[in-house]
Amino acid sequence: MIIKPKGTMDITLEDAKIWKYVEDVIDSVMEKYNYNYIRTPIFESTELFHRGIGNTTDIVSKETYDFLDRGNRKLTLRPEGTAGVVRSYIENKMYGTCSLPVKVYYNGTMYRYERPQLGRYRELSQYGVEVLGSSDPMVDAEIISLALNINKMLGLKGNKAHINSLGDQESRDHYREALKKYFEPHLDDLCEDCKARFDKNPLRILDCKVDHDKEYFKKAPSILDYLNEESKKHFDKVCEYLDLLEVDYVIDDRIVRGLDYYNHTVFEINADIPSFGSANTLGGGGRYDTLVSQLGGPDTPCVGYAVGLDRLVMALKEEKIALPIKKDVDIFILYVNEDEKKNAIYLANELRMAGFVVETEYTNRSLKGQFKRADSFDSKYLILLNSEELKDGLITIKNNKTKQSDQVLLEYIIYYFEEHIGITDNDGEVETDYEEDK
Ligand code: AMP
């Protein structure tokens, strides 16, 4: 038997319905915020991630799936979504052709060679937003609120944003020096990764999963004491707008985020589920004002975030949130002989095109078996096809709950169901509390 690769998942049956529901909610909320869907390649040139995410990050130094294609090109399966979006923004000259800011969202699989564990896979799914072309702290606050709003609409309670500021280059330079001074006496005690980070990127020491519980870590200097006037002003404004939006947040000066490209605001969205441990971080993001120019585009201040769908779905299941997932079939068509079967095929097609959810028989079950199958779908109505009745243009429809039957002329069948069921919402819109609140 061939089995799936380590760190990957099959999303099937009931789980697939939850995933689809979550993705529908994301799509519908993004529409309200006027974000455009964007789809970029799953593999990109390796150089994009090295230059974009940074060579010193865990993601690029240890976790990427790199390969040479048959034409000897160095390619990498994307470990995150931002670098590809930024490349696309530059390559398609969106800065010249679109009015700024460009607001996009994506949803797709990412690949990281990590040690698989709860909420950590090698193929993971993230949805994310990027706003390219605005330095306004209003956008930082709005996207934090957007991430929490989506979780709220899915029914998750108690989610919180943990926010911090990494300031501008000048603030970070001062802070970097202060951190190095602070950690220097402890250098021998740090893990091997942190020893390497000490020279290359000391801020990332704060992100260490191995050492972070040590007493001297807790007393390390805070970036917030090193923000210059301008950086402080930006951060204060973000907090002011978050307050205005009544966002549940805490300031957490230990958040530095795993990627090199952030400045000013950084944040994580956390669930509060005791059994989740580090998988409580559902998502994170921040401002990256220099990435576009670093990758060859014009100066373009940006901000964005990504949320892990695997963990979102895990949280919904763990919290046993009842999702309004449509399970039932509107109409199940039963038949016995070939003449009835042809009518079943024809009617199923007509009724589906009219907007109803229709199921029928595909494996020659007995009538008894078909009734059982119809019940397994919670079918609202049954059409009991009968050759004799069909000769007179008649069909029998049975309400599967009340067990009441009606005989209806074939040409009136759609009207009949329109009256008794109503047209199913056919445009992919998800009805949510959000819409009702409008
Ligand atoms: P990051 O891009 O590392 O900031 O991650 C953003 C979010 O993606 C995390 O908070 C997780 O929800 C999710 N995520 C990151 N890495 C993994 C992984 N290996 N497996 C599952 N989800 C992940």
Side-chain angles (χ1 to χ4, degrees):
M1 186 180 61
I2 298 170
I3 58 166
K4 62 187 181 307
K6 195 173 169 189
T8 65
M9 281 199 295
D10 294 318
I11 299 164
T12 59
L13 304 171
E14 291 309 306
D15 271 359
K17 287 183 187 165
I18 301 178
W19 274 77
K20 183 74 176 57
Y21 174 77
V22 168
E23 291 177 328
D24 284 349
V25 168
I26 292 167
D27 286 341
S28 84
V29 178
M30 289 303 166
E31 201 181 321
K32 310 286 187 300
Y33 278 78
N34 198 30
Y35 277 79
N36 281 304
Y37 178 62
I38 186 168
R39 212 161 139 145
T40 60
I42 287 179
F43 58 84
E44 298 266 4
S45 69
T46 299
E47 190 194 352
L48 173 68
F49 300 113
H50 282 258
R51 274 176 52 194
I53 301 175
N55 289 328
T56 63
T57 59
D58 281 358
I59 292 183
V60 166
S61 61
K62 299 190 218 158
E63 296 170 3
T64 49
Y65 279 86
D66 302 322
F67 60 100
L68 285 179
D69 74 1
R70 289 168 200 267
N72 264 340
R73 294 172 194 87
K74 283 187 181 165
L75 299 171
T76 295
L77 295 183
R78 63 183 180 195
E80 55 93 62
T82 304
V85 169
V86 169
R87 188 227 10 95
S88 169
Y89 174 82
I90 299 168
E91 189 172 339
N92 294 300
K93 298 192 173 59
M94 290 185 209
Y95 48 83
T97 54
C98 306
S99 84
L100 298 184
V102 170
K103 292 164 61 182
V104 292
Y105 82 101
Y106 59 83
N107 172 14
T109 50
M110 312 290 158
Y111 300 84
R112 297 183 188 180
Y113 194 78
E114 296 192 85
R115 196 167 61 79
Q117 53 192 291
L118 180 80
R120 197 166 289 282
Y121 312 107
R122 290 186 173 169
E123 181 181 69
L124 55 129
S125 292
Q126 288 182 336
Y127 91 86
V129 307
E130 314 293 350
V131 180
L132 304 105
S134 170
S135 58
D136 199 313
M138 167 188 180
V139 188
D140 310 27
E142 195 175 271
I143 65 165
I144 294 170
S145 145
L146 162 61
L148 284 170
N149 278 346
I150 288 182
N151 292 6
K152 211 182 281 174
M153 302 213 22
L154 289 169
L156 288 173
K157 295 193 183 85
N159 285 193
K160 234 190 191 96
H162 288 236
I163 68 166
N164 189 19
S165 172
L166 300 180
D168 58 9
Q169 190 66 44
E170 183 188 77
S171 309
R172 248 184 348 275
D173 285 347
H174 286 146
Y175 181 56
R176 190 174 289 125
E177 284 317 304
L179 266 188
K180 283 184 82 164
K181 219 173 181 174
Y182 180 81
F183 278 114
E184 197 158 21
H186 303 287
L187 202 51
D188 285 344
D189 185 51
L190 293 174
C191 72
E192 287 311 308
D193 280 345
C194 283
K195 281 182 186 138
R197 287 171 186 146
F198 182 82
D199 285 320
K200 289 193 203 146
N201 192 349
L203 264 72
R204 299 261 0 264
I205 295 178
L206 295 176
D207 214 17
C208 180
K209 308 273 180 303
V210 184
D211 290 331
H212 72 280
D213 279 336
K214 291 185 173 153
E215 207 43 45
Y216 62 86
F217 261 68
K218 294 178 188 148
K219 294 189 184 132
S222 165
I223 176 88
L224 298 175
D225 295 328
Y226 291 81
L227 296 182
N228 60 17
E229 249 337 280
E230 213 188 309
S231 301
K232 197 168 159 359
K233 211 165 110 192
H234 186 98
F235 193 49
D236 287 346
K237 272 287 168 198
V238 174
C239 295
E240 189 183 329
Y241 295 144
L242 287 175
D243 289 334
L244 191 142
L245 288 167
E246 296 179 8
V247 168
D248 196 0
Y249 73 95
V250 287
I251 295 173
D252 180 347
D253 62 8
R254 288 297 177 255
I255 290 183
V256 289
R257 308 281 304 135
L259 315 178
D260 272 357
Y261 49 60
Y262 289 116
N263 64 328
H264 287 297
T265 319
V266 283
F267 63 94
E268 288 181 354
I269 303 295
N270 282 12
D272 186 18
I273 304 174
S275 59
F276 272 22
S278 68
N280 259 312
T281 311
L282 301 180
R287 193 159 261 294
Y288 51 98
D289 291 341
T290 56
L291 183 60
V292 176
S293 57
Q294 222 170 289
L295 291 175
D299 265 343
T300 310
C302 304
V303 62
Y305 74 78
V307 164
L309 289 184
D310 308 86
R311 291 192 194 169
L312 259 191
V313 170
M314 249 172 67
L316 291 170
K317 284 167 68 175
E318 180 68 23
E319 304 275 86
K320 300 198 169 47
I321 291 167
L323 301 172
I325 293 173
K326 192 173 162 10
K327 279 203 201 103
D328 50 343
V329 157
D330 290 327
I331 305 154
F332 193 102
I333 308 177
L334 300 87
Y335 64 89
V336 178
N337 60 37
E338 181 62 22
D339 170 44
E340 292 162 5
K341 181 179 185 176
K342 283 183 183 149
N343 278 279
I345 296 170
Y346 180 80
L347 271 180
N349 185 55
E350 292 288 300
L351 289 166
R352 285 167 181 154
M353 296 307 282
F356 299 102
V357 181
V358 183
E359 184 57 279
T360 186
E361 173 54 30
Y362 300 101
T363 58
N364 290 324
R365 277 186 184 78
S366 66
L367 262 187
K368 195 174 161 206
Q370 292 183 46
F371 276 114
K372 257 174 97 172
R373 193 165 149 81
D375 284 345
S376 77
F377 292 125
D378 284 337
S379 307
K380 292 187 194 119
Y381 284 85
L382 308 178
I383 294 181
L384 305 159
L385 292 177
N386 175 299
S387 296
E388 288 308 308
E389 282 184 342
L390 284 168
K391 277 185 201 147
D392 299 327
L394 287 168
I395 57 165
T396 297
I397 299 171
K398 188 169 170 184
N399 182 319
N400 204 23
K401 219 180 215 165
T402 62
K403 307 295 175 199
Q404 195 187 322
S405 292
D406 285 322
Q407 216 179 28
V408 180
L409 271 170
L410 210 48
E411 61 253 47
Y412 291 141
I413 186 166
I414 289 176
Y415 302 117
Y416 178 91
F417 285 119
E418 276 175 0
E419 201 181 309
H420 287 79
I421 302 179
I423 299 281
T424 350
D425 191 13
N426 219 9
D427 59 6
E429 275 283 286
V430 182
E431 272 206 26
T432 56
D433 293 340
Y434 182 84
E435 282 184 330
E436 282 163 20
D437 285 344
K438 254 193 340 182

